[in-house]
Amino acid sequence: MKSVCIIGSGPAGLVAAKTFLQSGQFKVTVYEKDDKIGGIWSFPKRSESDGYLSSRTPTNLSKFTVGFSDLSWRSLGTGESHVPMFPAAAQVGQYLELYRDRYVPSSTFKLQHRVVSADREKQDGGHRWKIVSETKVDGPEPAGDSTGANTKEETEYFDYVINAAGFFSKPSVSSRLIPPSKTVKEVHTSQFRELDDLFVERSSHAGKNILVYGGGNSAGEVASNIAFQLSSSQYSPNASIHNNRFEGVKVYHVTPRPLYAIPPYVPGDSANTFMPLDLKFYELKWRQPGPIVSSSGPLGPEAAAALYSAIHGIAGDQKDLGAEALVTTEETTPYATLSESYAEFVRSGLIIPIAGRVSGYKEQDASTVTAIVTTNDGTDTPIPNIAASVVANGYTPTAALSFLSSTTKLALEYDETSTRLPILLQNYQTLHPAVPDLGFIGFYEGPYWGVMEMQARLLAARWSGTEIPIHPDESLERLRSLRQAMRERRTDVPQYWFSDYIGYLEEISSALGLERNDPPFASAGVGPISPARYLASKDAHEEAVATMEDLKATLDDCAKGKFRARAAFRALQGLWQVERRIESKRVRMPSGTFVGTGTFHPRAPTEKGVDLEYLYIEEGDFTLLSGQKSPVSQRSVYRYIEATDTLSEWVVNPIDGIAVYRAHELQFGEMGGGGEEACTARATGLRAEDNYRTDYCFEFRAVALRGLEVMHEIQGDGGEYVSVTTYKRPGEDR
């Protein structure tokens, strides 16, 4: 029986171990440098600041994409527990632990064994891999220079090696432009958890600015996260002097290219329906009829235009956000940031995008610097009062290659200056022909779990004697050309060059002769892609069936209007112009007109079980029919709960902003026949003493709200009262 060494026990390492063990033809050993499995998804950490992710960080894609074929997320949830559509990082860690418990025996793992070298040596007319690992030994810590004193090295030999150490193995900070100093601290996105992580001192930073630079997904994510915490610090209950340390702070996001902000839920196939973004993007019906052929690398004009149109159909042209840096003037290959709130923070002015690249800085005073941004036309623009800087240049894979010998790296055509394509791999990014017994899983930008599972199956089949033809897109000559295009920053190179999720799963499944599991969908060409559609003979079919049932049920619920509450809640964020007309026959509620502003301020939920929360502040002037005018203001809280998909309004204490009781919950109307009817909701869940009726009409434009109308009517002995309130964005033509 051949032996396989797997380095790393994150998703790639676990699915590789399970796949090779399941084949029955390999003896498998998994090396893991930490004391638990899971990679970046391993929790709990020694402290919240450890690792690249907070335990609360949600996945970018839904649980139908973040998962393997034969373990449904249904298996993780028990009783009344709720697994959200976009699970938190700690829940992903729990999923991986369950996957290990079911499929990979504990004897397979060498935990706390860090691989320090992997050398390919000639042996018995062939080659074997010499793996040297370092592990801790028991005993007291020695005094003085104790380097290596409490560790020992172990050596073992294997027929094959799989590198599953992760493409995003180390934060990329090579372009750091503001050196660490007593003046301004600079951190990588992976180091940010709380606002105080960004600053040298825990003091007042009111009126200063935070710099974020980078043009990819992580830049938009961290800018949004910082903006959310700034908002929450100002509008949480009992805002104190401590919270006011960040009053007036802005986030300047420097990006070399426009970023399109894509929220978790995007428009569905019918008007006023919404669905998880990956279920929309990876719908099989969008592919051409016939066998699906994958593609990778630079996009041709037709493909770039199609992607541009698709992104525009979701995010719009973004001109309404008031940020020129986010608007394209031609149909170039689009870049996106997957973020719930980036667009609305830009609209509100809390995030200020600047087109260009940070080229330097100048000392300003004892606590700030001025950043110099070279814009795309070559002009230098200063950004003053920078008190903190965040590098959002992503990650480098160099750490995951450090244990390979220089000879092996040379054979892999390693280029340390090419962080996007450091080595050249064929067979769907699994191996190089010069080193056929060294495999890679998940070693590319943006690895998807379904693709990693297919890569593991592909390697197991190949090392068991199955010949897999080389894809035309993966000739070494073409890969070298792609690497050069990346160096030149050519605009036809997409954000993720190896990203044809549907194409790879379909092609590899066909090449390996995997069993299809398409029901309850009518055919293989209908519905979103899912790892659960493709099964090996020994896979747990009941788990795949459960995933497909849940996937179909989710789509059916979306078509019936589920997640409209989530989409409406998200789109309310920020500043609105408000006009309210009141016709009243009640003595203490006079007729008149209110004109002013209303702002939905995001803040951390103030009650357990609530997922999202706003403090709504309305200010303006009320004019009586007599012409008398007086200033008025009011506050309320809006909440969203995913488990019940409900949006509600709460009455608050005007002094401290704490929610006192629920005014009502919005019940969205029945879906019509797919026309352009409005998205409506009605107040429900009223208290026994309430005798009013409130109707909402949401006017969506893609993921944004163009406007909102609320009709509030009171009946009863005191006389009729009717108010009609219209909300529109500042500068919006109606």
Side-chain angles (χ1 to χ4, degrees), residues 235 348 572-580 593-601 615-622 630-636 638 708 725-731:
Y235 298 105
S348 69
L572 285 171
Q573 181 184 332
L575 177 66
W576 295 86
Q577 291 179 342
V578 182
E579 182 176 337
R580 181 176 298 114
T593 302
F594 168 85
V595 177
T597 61
T599 308
F600 294 84
H601 297 284
L615 176 64
Y616 175 71
I617 301 177
E618 187 176 280
E619 297 174 314
D621 294 318
F622 183 71
S630 58
V632 295
S633 65
Q634 65 172 347
R635 295 186 172 202
S636 57
Y638 286 76
L708 168 66
T725 306
T726 58
Y727 297 78
K728 65 178 182 178
R729 293 294 188 185

Side-chain angles (χ1 to χ4, degrees), residues 356-390:
R357 298 178 185 273
V358 177
S359 54
Y361 76 101
K362 295 179 180 178
E363 297 283 356
Q364 183 171 316
D365 55 38
S367 61
T368 62
V369 299
T370 295
I372 307 301
V373 175
T374 301
T375 58
N376 294 336
D377 62 3
T379 304
D380 284 348
T381 300
I383 305 178
N385 299 323
I386 299 297
S389 177
V390 182

Side-chain angles (χ1 to χ4, degrees), residues 102-155:
R102 289 200 180 183
Y103 300 121
V104 187
S106 58
S107 58
T108 307
F109 296 95
K110 282 183 171 289
L111 299 178
Q112 293 184 293
H113 280 68
R114 182 176 66 88
V115 173
V116 294
S117 66
D119 295 309
R120 190 171 186 249
E121 298 183 348
K122 290 183 178 180
Q123 193 175 108
D124 300 329
H127 292 87
R128 296 201 81 201
W129 287 90
K130 178 184 177 182
I131 303 298
V132 179
S133 64
E134 185 180 79
T135 185
K136 291 184 177 181
V137 295
D138 295 333
E141 292 288 342
D145 184 6
S146 59
T147 303
N150 271 17
T151 63
K152 68 174 182 178
E153 287 191 348
E154 296 180 0
T155 300

